[in-house]
Amino acid sequence: MSEVQKKALVAMSGGVDSSVAVLLMKEAGYSPIGVTMMLHDQDIASTAGTHLCCTPDDIEDARTVASSLGVPFYVVNFMDGFREKIIDKFIDTYLEGHTPNPCIDCNRYMKFGRLFEMADREGCEKVVTGHYAQIEYDEAKGIYKLKRAVDQTKDQTYVLYFLSQEQLAKLEFPLGKYEKTSAREIAAEGGLIVADKHDSQDICFVPDRDYAGYIDREASGKIAEILKKAEMLCKNSSKNESKEAGYGCFVDTKGNILGKNKGYYHYTIGQRKGLGISYTEPLYVIDIIPEKNQVILGSNEELFARRVDAVDFNLIYTPDALVSVEELDKSDDELQQCLEPGDRVYRVTGKVRYRAKDTAGYLLLHEKGNVTMVFDAAVRASTPGQSLVVYDGDYCLGGGIIVGG
C-alpha cells in the first residue's frame, strides 16, 4: 500500500511566487491544495492598467496553474470582515493623521487567520504562501524563528512580524531559499504560464493609487464632521482666500501659514512632492494635526529622530541580548529619558519602513506592553501607523505599530 501523502494548503494569488510554491511543495512530496481568497468586490479589482492582486484574471491564472500541476483548486469567499478590519481601518487611520499599511493588516487579520482555519478543516499539515522568508526551528530552545530570505532584495519578514509560534510551526515559505530570478526560472522550466508575470504592487481596493480620493468617496460624511471642528481655512493669509470645503493650512514649526492644503489626510510624514508650495528651500511634511486640519512643514533634517514608540507589539521570541539597565550609557539623555521602571532592554537592530536599512539600537519592552526603540543614529520619517520591526541579526524578533517618537 502506498504511503498517504501529507496535505498542504497553498495560498495562490495567481502570481509567479505562489505558483512556484505549489510546484515546490509537490516536488517535496506533499499533496497541495490550491486556494485563492476572494477578499473584496471583484468589480473594483477589474480596473485596467493596474498591478493589483486578487483580480479576476489572477484567479483564472491560479486556476490554470493548479490544473497544469494536477492539484485541486478552490476559490473561497473571505470577504466577510474585510470592510471592517481592512478598509474601515485604512480610512480611520488616515483620518487620524497617520499612514496605514493595509497589506500587513490583511495578512494578519484576514489571510493567515482564515487560511489556518481552512487548513484545519481540510486536514492539511502545512499552510504555504509565496512569501520570501525562512522559518527555522531552534531545537536547543524549542522555538521557531522567522529568518530573512536568501534574496535580501525580496525579503518580506518586515510584513510578517505578527506571526506567532503556533503559526510558524505550521507555515512553509518555499521561496525563502531562492532568488527571485531562480523562482522565475523554476516557473519557466515547469511550464507555468505566470513565469513572466509582473508582481502585484498596488493596494487591491484602491486601483488608481489615489488614496485620498478613495477616502473622499468612501467617508465623505465622516470627513465633513471632522472638518467642521477643524480650523479649515487659511485665515490671515492673502495667498489663501479660498473657502472650498476641506482645505486647511500648511504651517511651519513657528506657526506661520505657508499655504493651503487639500485636507490633512492627503499627506503623509516625509512627503515632499505634491505640496504645491514655493519656498526658498525644500519642504517636507513633518507632522499632521487633524483637529486643526493643519500640515506642518519643515526641513529634511527635522524628519530625523532616534526615538520611536510602538504599540500592539508582537514578540516572536525573546532575544538573548538582554542588557542591564545599569550598563546603559548614563550620558545618553535620549535613552535615559525613555526608560521606565521594570523595563527589559535588548540590543537589536530595527527599521521603520519596508525598504529601510537596519539601524542598531536598544529595544525597551515596557511593563504595560508597549515598546520604545532608541536608535544609535537618528532614523528618517518614523511615521505613525507604519510598523517598527526589530531584528537579531538575520532573525525577525517581531514588531508593532508606530505611534510617535
Side-chain angles (χ1 to χ4, degrees):
M1 182 180 295
S2 60
E3 183 179 348
V4 177
Q5 288 183 305
K6 299 176 182 178
K7 293 197 291 185
L9 188 72
V10 187
M12 299 184 68
S13 67
V16 61
D17 297 327
S18 59
S19 298
V20 170
V22 177
L23 177 59
L24 292 174
M25 292 304 290
K26 187 174 182 180
E27 291 179 347
Y30 283 86
S31 176
I33 298 173
V35 56
T36 293
M37 295 164 282
M38 188 180 296
L39 295 167
H40 55 77
D41 187 345
Q42 294 297 297
D43 290 338
I44 295 175
S46 299
T47 304
T50 58
H51 286 184
L52 300 175
C53 65
C54 311
T55 69
D57 287 344
D58 289 328
I59 293 175
E60 287 310 306
D61 285 345
R63 191 190 309 278
T64 300
V65 168
S67 177
S68 70
L69 294 175
V71 304
F73 175 76
Y74 303 95
V75 178
V76 291
N77 186 341
F78 285 172
M79 293 172 64
D80 180 39
F82 186 82
R83 175 82 203 192
E84 175 188 355
K85 293 180 179 296
I86 310 304
I87 295 179
D88 288 349
K89 183 179 179 182
F90 171 85
I91 292 171
D92 289 343
T93 301
Y94 263 115
L95 294 183
E96 290 168 0
H98 299 170
T99 304
N101 195 326
C103 294
I104 291 180
D105 289 336
C106 185
N107 279 327
R108 184 175 194 173
Y109 299 113
M110 298 298 297
K111 292 182 179 179
F112 280 91
R114 299 290 181 85
L115 285 172
F116 275 85
E117 291 173 2
M118 185 174 179
D120 289 340
R121 290 197 303 269
E122 297 293 327
C124 295
E125 296 201 11
K126 288 290 183 181
V127 172
V128 185
T129 74
H131 285 96
Y132 282 83
Q134 300 183 80
I135 299 171
E136 287 186 0
Y137 182 67
D138 187 328
E139 293 187 3
K141 297 180 179 179
I143 57 173
Y144 288 89
K145 296 182 176 182
L146 179 64
K147 187 178 181 181
R148 298 185 210 258
V150 167
D151 189 339
Q152 296 281 312
T153 66
K154 289 292 181 180
D155 175 62
Q156 292 177 294
T157 52
Y158 179 88
V159 301
L160 297 169
Y161 70 81
F162 54 83
L163 292 172
S164 67
Q165 285 291 311
E166 292 75 18
Q167 289 172 321
L168 288 170
K170 195 164 185 173
L171 276 168
E172 190 81 23
F173 300 134
L175 277 295
K177 296 180 173 63
Y178 293 90
E179 300 284 340
K180 178 72 177 191
T181 52
S182 298
R184 292 198 180 278
E185 290 170 0
I186 293 170
E189 292 170 0
L192 305 184
I193 64 167
V194 295
D196 297 319
K197 186 176 180 178
H198 61 70
D199 294 331
S200 60
Q201 300 171 352
D202 303 335
I203 294 176
C204 63
F205 55 89
V206 190
D208 58 2
R209 298 189 183 185
D210 181 7
Y211 306 149
Y214 179 82
I215 295 170
D216 279 328
R217 295 190 299 272
E218 295 292 318
S220 58
K222 187 177 291 187
I223 292 169
E225 184 177 340
I226 291 171
L227 296 183
K228 279 181 182 178
K229 302 175 183 178
E231 185 179 321
M232 291 176 12
L233 301 178
C234 295
K235 296 179 180 179
N236 304 319
S237 172
S238 60
K239 294 185 292 184
N240 300 284
E241 296 299 330
S242 171
K243 293 186 178 180
E244 296 175 78
Y247 282 81
C249 299
F250 284 122
V251 181
D252 66 16
T253 55
K254 296 180 180 179
N256 298 312
I257 294 174
L258 303 177
K260 178 179 65 177
N261 70 54
K262 299 176 183 179
Y264 69 91
Y265 54 90
H266 284 246
Y267 307 92
T268 185
I269 302 298
Q271 180 177 339
R272 176 185 175 186
K273 295 181 179 180
L275 301 180
I277 296 291
S278 179
Y279 203 66
T280 55
E281 61 185 51
L283 292 174
Y284 300 81
V285 176
I286 62 171
D287 200 4
I288 296 171
I289 314 296
E291 60 270 21
K292 294 184 178 181
N293 196 10
Q294 286 184 345
V295 177
I296 312 302
L297 303 182
S299 66
N300 184 56
E301 289 72 22
E302 291 174 287
L303 285 168
F304 285 82
R306 290 180 58 204
R307 174 177 180 166
V308 177
D309 297 317
V311 297
D312 194 19
F313 193 85
N314 177 60
L315 189 65
I316 295 175
Y317 72 93
T318 303
D320 294 326
L322 180 65
V323 179
S324 169
V325 172
E326 289 71 25
E327 296 175 7
L328 297 176
D329 186 355
K330 299 297 188 294
S331 66
D332 189 338
D333 292 338
E334 184 90 58
L335 179 57
Q336 292 295 326
Q337 290 173 7
C338 294
L339 288 171
E340 298 178 4
D343 277 354
R344 289 178 291 153
V345 183
Y346 297 92
R347 186 67 179 167
V348 300
T349 64
K351 55 185 182 178
V352 296
R353 292 183 307 283
Y354 178 56
R355 294 297 182 188
K357 293 182 178 179
D358 282 29
T359 300
Y362 293 97
L363 178 69
L364 283 56
L365 299 182
H366 305 308
E367 282 193 328
K368 52 190 175 184
N370 58 326
V371 306
T372 297
M373 179 84 181
V374 182
F375 292 95
D376 292 351
V379 295
R380 185 181 185 277
S382 169
T383 305
Q386 294 286 291
S387 297
L388 165 71
V389 181
V390 297
Y391 293 82
D392 180 8
D394 280 336
Y395 297 94
C396 178
L397 295 172
I401 304 299
I402 298 170
V403 292

